[in-house]
Amino acid sequence: MMKRAICLLLMPFLLIGGLHTSALEKEDRLWQDETIYYILVDRFLNGDESNDFEVDLQNTEAYYGGDFAGIIEKLDYLKDMGFTTIALSSIFDNGGKSYRGDQVINFYETEKHFGTIAELQQLVKEAHKRNMKVMLEFVADTVSSEHEWAEKSSYFHGNSFKLNHMNEQLSEELIAAAGWWVEKADIDGYYINHTQAAPSIFWDAFSEEVKDLKSDFYILGSVTEGSVFEEKSFDGMVDLPLMEELRSAFADIDVNLTKTIDATEKALTQYSHPELNGTALDTISTARFTHDILETDLYPGTRWNLALAYTYTTPGIPFVLYGSEIALDGGAPPDNQQLMGFRADKELINYITNLGRLRQELPALTRGTFEVMHQDSGMVVFKRMYKSEVLLVAINNTSKTQEVTIPKDQLENDKELRGLLNGEIVRQLSDGDYKIVLDREAAEIYAMADKTGLNIGFIAALAMVWLGFALFIYLVMKRSKQKR
């Protein structure tokens, strides 16, 4: 017992003075350094009841009351979790009960349920004060039958309200609306679903317009069928093939991670800038990742931890759907679009917070090379390296403790690996190799650092403090005995 107490006492001091890996100063902020939180505005938080008309919490197809005011109220909550960018679902004036925002009536007005243009501007200002960026989802494939364009048959394909982007006038009007919001609300990016609905020539003109207005503007695209799709006009794409492999691998235990690693490495060769792709576990168009986990009868928190550890530490930008931090459940839409809850177990939130902090502090996680060091069934170890910063990420997706030996010629000599999530230290073996031991269903981010030495002077001072404390206790007990 005494030995254990001494070890716990000395541990903080043994860790002092060796970890300089996070001291690297990042250059100018890049989009690959971001961590994006996607918000379905209507289902997040009701901050202003004055715009609650036709709200019905019992009807999954009706408005629930979420608005700009509610998002402003929770900006600190999101920032504290490490999110640097929020992406809002379509905020344009919509027809009927289209709380998702995909039935646009007017591209130059906000949906009245969400608030006014002035309130959206205030949301962006408040986010920028916190050094957070704001993206809007731009609906470019369809409009409501109530839109004034409905009378212009040449604007559509057949009798549907699917937009015909080969119509030059329509394209010009859409692009003008996209540029208007960049100037009006000072937004930082667009998220565009169903990018395959418009041809390359349209997206090229779209991109040129918004980037002329704001040079660091980011455009993230997505396709619904899950195929790889890239156009030069998009900065990145939500990698849906990778998402499918992530869900398959981490929803269950003892699943081989080979296909997941293959999907990650494939993206590195298929995309011009894979580091700008969105890495997601679910989207507003899919069943929740939690839904897949519950079908395997496993604890969602642990499964989420492993999956998020992978998405936060591999190349790409984490694209996290609202409610993931509370493991929100839901099947196919609209079941996956439930009301956000804020009274939840903090364990997963704390884990996301730690991942977000490390992602902001360690450039290697956002800018580093990617090299697989070990891969066997459900256990993987990969290296991220940027300049002099070297990190090893280990993920054990199995039901047993795993041991992995990394040969000395693959890492620096005379160093140690410092665990940044759980605090474990891995020192070189007698032959110079590094042996990582990782518990079942666990992940760790190791930083390569100088060996930890004992600070003799500090320990001596600590010993004097303990000696003085012991003397004080002795005198108190002696006086108490004399009085008795």
Side-chain angles (χ1 to χ4, degrees), residues 6-68:
I6 292 174
C7 289
L8 290 174
L9 176 65
L10 293 179
M11 185 58 69
F13 307 105
L14 295 175
L15 295 176
I16 289 176
L19 186 57
H20 298 294
T21 57
S22 63
L24 289 174
E25 291 294 332
K26 286 190 176 181
E27 295 88 350
D28 292 339
R29 182 175 173 184
L30 301 176
W31 270 98
Q32 66 207 61
D33 300 324
E34 305 298 319
T35 307
I36 301 174
Y37 186 92
Y38 177 92
I39 298 174
L40 182 57
V41 178
D42 177 65
R43 301 298 164 94
F44 192 63
L45 181 65
N46 189 345
D48 180 7
E49 294 184 355
S50 68
N51 54 36
D52 288 0
F53 57 96
E54 299 177 350
V55 168
D56 184 359
L57 296 179
Q58 305 305 315
N59 182 357
T60 58
E61 293 288 351
Y63 283 95
Y64 279 12
D67 47 36
F68 302 141

Side-chain angles (χ1 to χ4, degrees), residues 41-46 57 64-66 288 322-323 326 328 335-342:
V41 178
D42 177 65
R43 301 298 164 94
F44 192 63
L45 181 65
N46 189 345
L57 296 179
Y64 279 12
R288 291 273 178 169
Y322 84 99
I326 61 169
L328 196 62
D335 188 45
N336 67 334
Q337 299 159 9
Q338 298 178 24
L339 188 64
M340 175 63 183
F342 293 96

Side-chain angles (χ1 to χ4, degrees), residues 170-436:
L170 165 69
S171 293
E172 289 177 354
E173 291 191 50
L174 271 177
I175 292 170
W180 188 84
W181 284 102
V182 177
E183 293 188 303
K184 189 70 174 179
D186 193 26
I187 58 174
D188 305 289
Y190 276 129
Y191 167 62
I192 302 169
N193 207 351
H194 314 307
T195 53
Q196 75 278 6
S200 300
I201 189 173
F202 170 80
W203 292 125
D204 290 345
F206 183 99
S207 176
E208 182 179 354
E209 170 70 14
V210 296
K211 289 180 181 292
D212 279 348
L213 295 171
K214 200 167 189 176
S215 59
D216 192 34
F217 202 83
Y218 174 69
I219 305 176
L220 178 65
S222 180
V223 290
T224 52
E225 62 265 24
S227 61
V228 172
F229 178 84
E230 180 181 20
E231 295 289 347
K232 63 180 181 180
S233 45
F234 297 101
D235 297 294
M237 301 292 293
V238 174
D239 194 337
L240 296 185
L242 174 59
M243 183 182 76
E244 292 174 4
E245 295 300 340
L246 286 169
R247 292 173 67 112
S248 176
F250 290 110
D252 204 351
I253 196 171
D254 289 318
V255 176
N256 195 311
L257 296 178
T258 299
K259 290 184 178 180
T260 308
I261 293 293
D262 288 347
T264 296
E265 293 182 327
K266 186 176 183 180
L268 294 177
T269 60
Q270 282 191 316
Y271 290 95
S272 301
H273 293 284
E275 73 279 4
L276 296 177
N277 280 351
T279 307
L281 289 163
D282 45 20
T283 72
I284 206 66
S285 303
T286 68
R288 291 273 178 169
F289 178 51
T290 300
H291 189 73
D292 290 2
I293 298 171
L294 293 176
E295 289 185 342
T296 65
D297 294 325
L298 293 174
Y299 176 60
T302 303
R303 300 281 88 210
W304 266 106
N305 286 351
L306 293 183
L308 288 169
Y310 190 95
T311 60
Y312 270 67
T313 59
T314 49
I317 303 172
F319 187 78
V320 181
L321 183 60
Y322 84 99
S324 296
E325 71 272 26
I326 61 169
L328 196 62
D329 187 20
D335 188 45
N336 67 334
Q337 299 159 9
Q338 298 178 24
L339 188 64
M340 175 63 183
F342 293 96
R343 296 179 180 178
D345 187 351
K346 300 296 184 182
E347 184 177 345
L348 181 54
I349 292 177
N350 291 338
Y351 194 82
I352 292 175
T353 301
N354 286 334
L355 287 175
R357 172 181 54 82
L358 292 175
R359 185 174 165 81
Q360 291 182 44
E361 293 177 353
L362 304 171
L365 290 181
T366 62
R367 306 185 181 195
T369 57
F370 178 80
E371 178 186 356
V372 177
M373 310 290 285
H374 172 88
Q375 181 183 344
D376 183 20
S377 299
M379 178 70 184
V380 64
V381 179
F382 53 86
K383 180 168 69 175
R384 303 298 309 274
M385 184 167 63
Y386 179 75
K387 296 184 177 180
S388 62
E389 184 175 85
V390 179
L391 305 175
L392 254 63
V393 179
I395 298 177
N396 181 5
N397 189 38
T398 77
S399 54
K400 297 179 180 178
T401 297
Q402 298 290 333
E403 297 182 359
V404 176
T405 299
I406 307 296
K408 58 184 177 182
D409 59 352
Q410 296 186 28
L411 293 174
E412 292 183 66
N413 189 35
D414 202 30
K415 298 283 186 178
E416 66 185 20
L417 297 174
R418 208 81 55 85
L420 304 179
L421 288 176
N422 305 310
E424 180 189 2
I425 295 179
V426 177
R427 295 185 172 88
Q428 283 183 290
L429 301 174
S430 58
D431 60 2
D433 294 342
Y434 293 85
K435 184 178 180 180
I436 294 173

Side-chain angles (χ1 to χ4, degrees), residues 126-137:
E126 290 296 328
H128 286 173
K129 284 181 185 178
R130 294 163 172 81
N131 204 26
M132 300 173 72
K133 297 179 179 179
V134 179
M135 299 172 63
L136 297 183
E137 182 172 351

